[in-house]
Amino acid sequence: SLLLLLFGLDYIPGFKERVGHEFFLETIDLYIKYNESLFLGDTLTIDICVGNIESCSFDLFANFRKGDTLCATGIQKVAWCEYKTDEKYGKVLRPVKIPEDIATLFKSSALF
């Protein structure tokens, strides 16, 4: 998602080079509340922050604004994943512990 991409580029060192190779960010839940209509061509400000950091997942919180108007809010639960080899299914994407350096970065800017 766009939200996840923007977050990764801002918060995760080397995101562009590492995502899809060393790790994957998998959306496991998403909630959006629309307050006002948005249209193609609208200029938006998107405020993103992280919270609810757990061993293998975290939440992204976002506000989408057009000028001073709050148009939408969203919460996206994301799992930190890597490919693992499973005897029965072969190569599968599995949640893994968020690396300590990344978890520390998240926690330093977390809401809660």
Side-chain angles (χ1 to χ4, degrees):
S1 77
L2 175 62
L3 182 62
L4 198 50
L5 176 63
L6 293 172
F7 173 79
L9 290 170
D10 279 350
Y11 283 89
I12 302 173
F15 178 78
K16 194 167 99 174
E17 296 78 27
R18 296 169 61 197
V19 71
H21 302 285
E22 295 177 31
F23 65 89
F24 297 82
L25 299 178
E26 209 49 39
T27 298
I28 53 178
D29 197 12
L30 179 64
Y31 169 80
I32 300 173
K33 180 175 188 255
Y34 295 97
N35 302 320
E36 296 286 331
S37 297
L38 297 168
F39 299 97
L40 183 62
D42 285 348
T43 300
L44 300 178
T45 300
I46 305 170
D47 299 312
I48 304 170
C49 55
V50 64
N52 297 333
I53 301 155
E54 299 174 15
S55 65
C56 299
S57 66
F58 57 94
D59 290 345
L60 294 179
F61 300 87
N63 289 326
F64 299 82
R65 298 181 185 281
K66 183 169 52 174
D68 291 334
T69 304
L70 179 61
C71 298
T73 57
I75 303 171
Q76 183 173 4
K77 183 165 228 31
V78 179
W80 192 280
C81 299
E82 292 178 0
Y83 274 112
K84 299 288 183 183
T85 302
D86 181 277
E87 288 182 25
K88 184 175 180 181
Y89 299 106
K91 197 174 180 184
V92 293
L93 201 56
R94 295 278 189 227
V96 296
K97 185 175 180 183
I98 299 170
E100 198 58 44
D101 61 325
I102 301 296
T104 301
L105 277 174
F106 287 0
K107 288 174 185 172
S108 70
S109 62
L111 283 177
F112 43 90

